[in-house]
């Protein structure tokens, strides 16, 4: 059994281990119902022998309260290969091969900060970003082995939309990085809810990273985010740490 299989489909129990701020968001009746439906689905799929990733779907929430968040990066759903998914969007363990989208993210960071003496990060695990205030949130939090988007449109979007809206409603200024059409569809949950910077570009996937209308490679999002955070009297992110 893979180490990162979702061994416990009881999402309600996992929600209770989160901080009070997140629990309040997840206690809204429509979200509670969605989580209940997801529990039944996950239990059924596990009983049918499906391998489901990651072990901790709510890991992105465990490090941060909404007021601690400085930057939000939205992904779609977890990686669907053995050992990849960590519960943090775009992140994989250091001993895994670097996925193409993450490779392009690091290429862009290296380009933007080329005047520094540091090379692009050697580590694939983005926990170091999360501890600095970067919420790495997928809009769907589980997936079956070898089946991308297998848990899309099953209720996770209700849960993560509520989380995105709660983060945007919190008064602390934040940067939202929306890469690709899927992430940009969440813009309405963010606009007019606080003093935030919304940055949009194509997805870092090799299929779109260099294409118009706004190529990811060359977008300058990481530098723009840090400059804006400084203007808001918030500590910038060390993207190369």
């Amino acid at each position: 059994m893979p180490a990162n299989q979702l061994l416990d489909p009881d999402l309600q129990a996992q929600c209770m281990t989160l901080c009070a701020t997140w629990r309040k968001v997840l206690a809204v009746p429509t979200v509670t119902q969605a989580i209940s439906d997801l529990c039944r689905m996950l239990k059924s799929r596990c009983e049918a022998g499906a391998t489901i990733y990651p072990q901790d779907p709510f890991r992105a929430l465990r490090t941060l309260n909404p007021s601690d968040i400085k930057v939000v990066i939205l992904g779609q759903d977890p990686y669907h290969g053995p050992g990849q998914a960590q519960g943090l969007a775009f992140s994989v363990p250091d001993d895994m091969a670097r996925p193409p989208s993450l490779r392009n993210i690091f290429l862009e960071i290296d380009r933007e900060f080329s005047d520094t003496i540091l090379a692009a990060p050697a580590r694939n695990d983005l926990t170091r970003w999360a501890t600095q205030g970067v919420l790495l949130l997928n809009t769907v939090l589980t997936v079956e082995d070898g089946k991308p988007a297998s848990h899309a449109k099953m209720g996770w979007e209700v849960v993560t939309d509520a989380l995105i809206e709660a983060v945007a409603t919190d008064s602390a200024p934040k940067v939202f990085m929306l890469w690709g059409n899927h992430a940009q569809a969440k813009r309405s949950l963010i606009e007019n809810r606080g003093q935030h910077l919304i940055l949009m570009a194509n997805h870092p996937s090799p299929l779109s990273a260099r294409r118009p209308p706004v190529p990811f490679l060359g977008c300058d999002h990481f530098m723009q985010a840090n400059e804006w955070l400084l203007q808001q009297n918030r500590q910038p992110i060390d993207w190369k740490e």
Side-chain angles (χ1 to χ4, degrees):
M1 184 178 293
N4 62 346
Q5 183 175 358
L6 179 64
L7 301 177
D8 183 4
D10 187 353
L11 297 178
Q12 286 105 333
Q14 295 186 46
C15 289
M16 292 306 297
T17 66
L18 300 173
C19 73
T21 307
W22 293 124
R23 292 202 307 270
K24 183 177 179 180
V25 177
L26 299 176
V28 174
T30 54
V31 178
T32 300
Q33 183 60 56
I35 290 173
S36 178
D37 294 342
L38 284 162
C39 283
R40 286 192 291 271
M41 182 274 292
L42 292 171
K43 181 179 180 181
S44 174
R45 294 303 299 140
C46 286
E47 290 174 347
T51 299
I52 300 173
Y53 308 126
Q55 184 178 25
D56 184 2
F58 296 113
R59 185 184 170 194
L61 307 180
R62 296 193 186 282
T63 308
L64 298 164
N65 288 324
S67 60
D68 298 325
I69 297 168
K70 302 173 187 174
V71 178
V72 179
I73 297 177
L74 292 181
Q76 296 188 27
D77 63 340
Y79 294 116
H80 53 86
Q84 290 183 303
Q86 295 183 297
L88 301 174
F90 295 104
S91 179
V92 296
D94 291 335
D95 60 356
M96 299 294 297
R98 182 170 294 177
S101 292
L102 184 58
R103 187 161 55 245
N104 279 337
I105 289 171
F106 286 159
L107 280 173
E108 175 59 19
I109 290 171
D110 203 36
R111 186 196 67 80
E112 293 184 29
F113 299 95
S114 59
D115 58 337
T116 68
I117 62 173
L118 298 176
R123 292 175 292 161
N124 299 327
D125 187 333
L126 302 181
T127 300
R128 62 192 185 278
W129 290 1
T131 57
Q132 293 183 73
V134 181
L135 179 65
L136 299 159
L137 183 68
N138 284 315
T139 57
V140 173
L141 300 186
T142 56
V143 71
E144 295 187 19
D145 179 61
K147 298 178 180 179
S150 50
H151 290 178
K153 299 181 180 179
M154 291 191 176
W156 275 123
E157 293 85 352
V158 175
V159 178
T160 56
D161 279 2
L163 293 170
I164 294 166
E165 190 170 358
V167 171
T169 301
D170 179 81
S171 60
K174 302 171 186 68
V175 181
F176 287 81
M177 296 183 179
L178 307 182
W179 301 332
N181 293 334
H182 184 87
Q184 289 163 21
K186 306 300 180 181
R187 183 175 180 176
S188 62
L189 300 172
I190 304 163
E191 290 180 317
N192 303 317
R193 295 187 185 278
Q195 187 180 357
H196 307 307
L197 175 65
I198 300 176
L199 300 174
M200 298 193 295
N202 286 5
H203 195 275
S205 163
L207 295 175
S208 59
R210 288 183 167 85
R211 294 183 178 179
V214 185
F216 175 80
L217 292 172
C219 68
D220 286 328
H221 280 187
F222 302 96
M223 187 171 288
Q224 287 182 56
N226 278 359
E227 290 173 351
W228 188 85
L229 287 170
L230 284 170
Q231 292 170 8
Q232 308 304 313
N233 297 314
R234 304 202 76 184
Q235 190 71 19
I237 305 300
D238 183 354
W239 297 107
K240 286 194 167 189
E241 190 273 324

